[in-house]
Amino acid sequence: MRNLVKFSLVLVVIVIVLGSYTRLTDAGLGCPDWPGCYGTLTVPKSEEQISRAVELWPDAPIEYNKAWNEMIHRYAAGLLGLTILAIAIWSVARVRKHPEQPVKLPLLLLVMVTFQALLGMWTVTKNLQPLIVMGHLLGGFTTFSLLALLHLRLKRIHLPMGDPQVRKLAGLAFIALLAVIGQIALGGWVAANYAAMACTQLPICEVDWVNKLDVAGAFSVPDAETYQYGAHDYDERVTMHVAHRIGAIVVTVIVGLMLFSGYRKARSAVIRTSLHWVSVLLVVQLLLGLANVLFLLPLGVAVAHNLFGALLLVSLVALNYKIARNA
């Protein structure tokens, strides 16, 4: 099963990249229906399929690049779902002969990926409603984290048990994890509401940004027929963007303090390797965030920012798991 879990980890990274690419190319509604595309299992090709699509969805003309972006993402997500289903079935089938076999985690993964499929459907049927889009992103990152945990469980990492110095790091590591989760949620909200370019200056936002802040409006969901390209006004988008920047500073301070404490206290090579990964990923993620603003959200940088956010989260999940194993 280890190889199947490794394959799932590769797949979930591909799905996360494809998902961010689909969102950033405005292809979230590239297919107006779900799970197919204009009533077919692929993008319509024949004259008959195209005529039927025009008849059923007259207000959603076919844009082939966007439709294919969306369908490739769905194909990859579907394959991931089937792989996780195979992992869950395998775990349940083997647990009697192998009591040490993880079962709860594979079943939780199956529930998670099923809920992800529902969120994917609602993303389309609710016309990119921001809460659903943000939830879909968080669900993808959660699936990645759970698969990473399952991989660590199967790997059976050996740690020097009961190191009191490592135990002292547990609280800070957990707070760092929560801070990163909160920042990812803020980033998802910014992306779902097309607020990434609401501020294009560094180190602070545009002139008079303080007087533009509207917290209540920024974190509400206005009524709209469609949320594609955003339904919030400029001041509300500025508020979202500023909140995400402040969140980045808070996360940097918290994770930085955790790393400083960890390098001072931890003597385990396994723990220190995890700290190295968190350090590198945090720096790369900060640089990608700055590059998004400086270079006006280039597609490759924006996709990488999403991916490295997921990798930073998983690195902290792994660190917390290893610390817990040490306790």
Side-chain angles (χ1 to χ4, degrees):
M1 189 170 79
R2 292 184 189 180
N3 289 335
L4 200 55
V5 172
K6 289 178 182 178
F7 178 65
S8 297
L9 281 168
V10 174
L11 264 181
V12 76
V13 170
I14 292 171
V15 170
I16 286 171
V17 169
L18 289 173
S20 62
Y21 184 81
T22 298
R23 184 178 68 254
L24 289 161
T25 54
D26 300 321
L29 294 179
C31 298
D33 53 335
W34 188 95
C37 190
Y38 292 93
T40 70
L41 292 178
T42 65
V43 179
K45 291 179 286 187
S46 68
E47 289 185 10
E48 181 183 348
Q49 290 174 336
I50 293 170
S51 298
R52 185 170 179 270
V54 171
E55 180 183 348
L56 293 176
W57 290 278
D59 298 324
I62 301 172
E63 296 182 67
Y64 285 95
N65 288 340
K66 291 184 178 182
W68 274 114
N69 287 352
E70 174 67 4
M71 286 309 294
I72 291 170
H73 173 56
R74 291 184 190 180
Y75 296 149
L79 180 58
L80 175 63
L82 291 174
T83 307
I84 288 174
L85 174 62
I87 290 170
I89 292 172
W90 190 328
S91 299
V92 172
R94 284 173 54 87
V95 70
R96 287 189 179 180
K97 292 184 178 179
H98 304 274
E100 75 285 356
Q101 172 75 45
V103 175
K104 292 180 181 179
L105 197 48
L107 292 177
L108 179 59
L109 268 164
L110 183 59
V111 171
M112 187 68 243
V113 81
T114 302
F115 185 56
Q116 267 295 85
L118 290 173
L119 286 171
M121 177 184 70
W122 293 331
T123 295
V124 176
T125 59
K126 301 297 182 182
N127 294 317
L128 304 180
Q129 207 264 29
L131 275 175
I132 295 171
V133 174
M134 182 184 73
H136 196 41
L137 180 141
L138 290 173
F141 283 23
T142 301
T143 302
F144 188 13
S145 299
L146 292 175
L147 278 168
L149 271 178
L150 181 57
H151 174 65
L152 290 170
R153 286 279 307 275
L154 294 172
K155 197 174 178 181
R156 296 187 181 90
I157 294 171
H158 296 291
L159 290 167
M161 306 303 285
D163 183 345
Q165 296 301 316
V166 172
R167 284 203 299 270
K168 291 177 183 178
L169 187 60
L172 262 178
F174 185 66
I175 292 170
L177 175 61
L178 292 180
V180 167
I181 291 171
Q183 178 66 352
I184 288 169
L186 274 175
W189 189 249
V190 168
N193 288 286
Y194 300 84
M197 286 290 94
C199 295
T200 58
Q201 294 180 359
L202 286 170
I204 59 174
C205 197
E206 274 73 5
V207 175
D208 199 36
W209 65 271
V210 175
N211 293 322
K212 295 182 183 297
L213 297 182
D214 180 2
V215 176
F219 295 98
S220 65
V221 180
D223 292 328
E225 288 187 11
T226 179
Y227 295 91
Q228 190 167 30
Y229 309 120
H232 289 82
D233 63 31
Y234 176 68
D235 289 357
E236 292 167 348
R237 296 190 202 197
V238 167
T239 306
M240 297 174 201
H241 190 107
V242 169
H244 188 52
R245 286 197 190 185
I246 293 171
I249 295 170
V250 172
V251 165
T252 301
V253 171
I254 292 174
V255 177
L257 287 172
M258 186 274 296
L259 290 169
F260 177 74
S261 178
Y263 280 123
R264 285 184 60 217
K265 295 175 180 177
R267 295 293 176 264
S268 163
V270 173
I271 298 294
R272 292 182 74 86
T273 298
S274 274
L275 293 172
H276 295 335
W277 277 112
V278 174
S279 303
V280 170
L281 292 169
L282 176 64
V283 171
V284 172
Q285 183 67 343
L286 288 171
L287 292 174
L288 288 170
L290 291 171
N292 273 332
V293 178
L294 287 172
F295 304 113
L296 302 179
L297 202 69
L299 181 58
V301 175
V303 170
H305 190 52
N306 189 79
L307 173 61
F308 275 84
L311 292 172
L312 178 60
L313 172 65
V314 168
S315 70
L316 281 163
V317 168
L319 176 62
N320 276 270
Y321 171 77
K322 292 170 186 177
I323 291 171
R325 281 288 310 275
N326 175 84

